[in-house]
Amino acid sequence: MAQAATEAAAQTARATIGDSEFDRDTAVTLREEGVYDAELSAGWTIIHAVNGGYLLALLGRALGDALPHSDPFSVSAHYLTASVPGPAVIRTQTVRTGRTLSTGQASLFQYAEDGSEIERIRVLATYGDLDALPDDVRTTAVPPAMPDRDHCLGPSDGAPKIPGSSAITDRLDIKLDPATVGWAVGAPSGKGEMRGWFGLADGRDPDALSLLLTVDALPPTSFELGLTGWTPTVELTTHIRCRPAPGPLRVSITTRNLAGGFLEEDAEVWDSAARLVAQSRQLAKAPRTE
């Protein structure tokens, strides 16, 4: 009886910020000033490549340690080559420091078979203190109109898996707006929209760092344009607007123009207090049609 109670408690326990799979898998170890060692976890892969949002959070953690300010405000990343699970090194450089903001850059490298370094991502970011921001908000933005979480669709509701997806889907708790899952039954809407509720599967609440993952975690909007397959990110810029409240997030992503084999994705992330906590825009390669 006692063992059963212990197992039940373990199943209902929620991970906490600082003590979760996400935190362990984005951990970095300082080797020397400005240089960090990391291990890219296979748990955050899409098909064979490591997810771009997870990588952004990993570099974001290194910059938060290297800079005098710890909270990401604006992070722009160029994805140069596809990252794979395994060891990596992050090299950071402080560009400028001020009273309220500091700016730095970072690059993530992995190793070729001959031992030489291959640059995977290059980031330029500005950091500050989210708790020091004023409370004044003047906005016309509104949370996305979508059903309650119980009326959205996830894997436990029989929704099909993302084509080609792998380990990352087991680490995310995503419930998609039924209006944006036509692709799953062969009837994409053609609107280039994706909306859903987002959380981490172990129950860890969101923070500024995990928002860097959130903006790149939903299925790509290209699915609803009738194109399924890997949609690799070329460039991704994320703005963190405030520290998110505990609880599930609402994410809305739109694409207005797919042309020349590339598409943009504009994302908004809203917290449980109905505040706009993150925005992003990325340029991505459209899936191949052949």
Side-chain angles (χ1 to χ4, degrees):
M1 180 72 88
Q3 181 178 356
T6 301
E7 292 176 352
Q11 292 175 355
T12 57
R14 292 169 56 90
T16 58
I17 295 174
D19 184 18
S20 72
E21 185 174 27
F22 172 79
D23 295 293
R24 292 187 292 273
D25 289 348
T26 57
V28 295
T29 302
L30 181 65
R31 181 198 302 180
E32 58 188 66
E33 185 177 357
V35 181
Y36 297 83
D37 291 309
E39 183 75 18
L40 305 190
S41 170
W44 304 88
T45 51
I46 291 287
I47 308 180
H48 302 297
V50 182
N51 171 261
Y54 161 75
L55 294 169
L56 198 62
L58 189 75
L59 277 92
R61 191 178 292 282
L63 280 168
D65 182 80
L67 295 173
H69 298 92
S70 59
D71 295 326
F73 275 32
S74 178
V75 183
S76 295
H78 286 263
Y79 294 78
L80 308 178
T81 54
S83 299
V84 295
V89 59
I90 299 172
R91 305 186 188 280
T92 67
Q93 179 183 355
T94 299
V95 176
R96 179 186 180 277
T97 61
R99 184 176 60 84
T100 60
L101 296 173
S102 56
T103 299
Q105 61 184 22
S107 290
L108 184 146
F109 299 86
Q110 290 192 292
Y111 304 98
E113 292 184 1
D114 63 2
S116 61
E117 290 186 344
I118 303 172
E119 188 174 8
R120 301 297 196 193
I121 311 170
R122 186 174 296 188
V123 165
L124 182 66
T126 295
Y127 275 57
D129 180 1
L130 289 172
D131 294 327
L133 295 179
D135 294 330
D136 185 29
V137 176
R138 310 180 195 193
T139 182
T140 59
V142 294
M146 51 189 282
D148 292 340
R149 192 176 180 280
D150 291 342
H151 293 93
C152 289
L153 301 175
S156 62
D157 304 302
K161 289 187 176 182
I162 300 170
S165 65
S166 51
I168 191 172
T169 55
D170 295 328
R171 281 148 186 84
L172 306 179
D173 181 11
I174 295 177
K175 294 274 196 172
L176 296 175
D177 183 341
T180 66
V181 295
W183 55 270
V185 293
S189 67
K191 293 181 179 180
E193 298 176 351
M194 196 66 61
R195 290 182 298 276
W197 295 88
F198 176 87
L200 292 172
D202 59 11
R204 179 197 190 272
D205 280 320
D207 64 355
L209 194 69
S210 71
L211 291 176
L212 299 177
L213 164 69
T214 305
V215 297
D216 192 41
L218 264 61
T221 55
S222 56
F223 286 6
E224 277 294 271
L225 294 174
L227 300 173
T228 56
W230 188 35
T231 309
T233 302
V234 176
E235 187 272 343
L236 172 60
T237 295
T238 303
H239 298 158
I240 306 301
R241 306 306 304 272
C242 63
R243 201 177 305 283
L249 301 166
R250 281 176 284 181
V251 184
S252 173
I253 308 176
T254 58
T255 290
R256 297 197 305 161
N257 191 54
L258 187 158
F262 292 85
L263 61 115
E264 90 289 345
E265 285 195 338
D266 291 310
E268 292 183 350
V269 181
W270 298 78
D271 70 0
S272 60
R275 299 177 305 165
L276 182 60
V277 294
Q279 298 165 283
S280 73
R281 166 166 279 205
Q282 72 169 279
L283 180 71
K285 286 185 178 181
R288 296 178 180 178
T289 56
E290 66 271 15

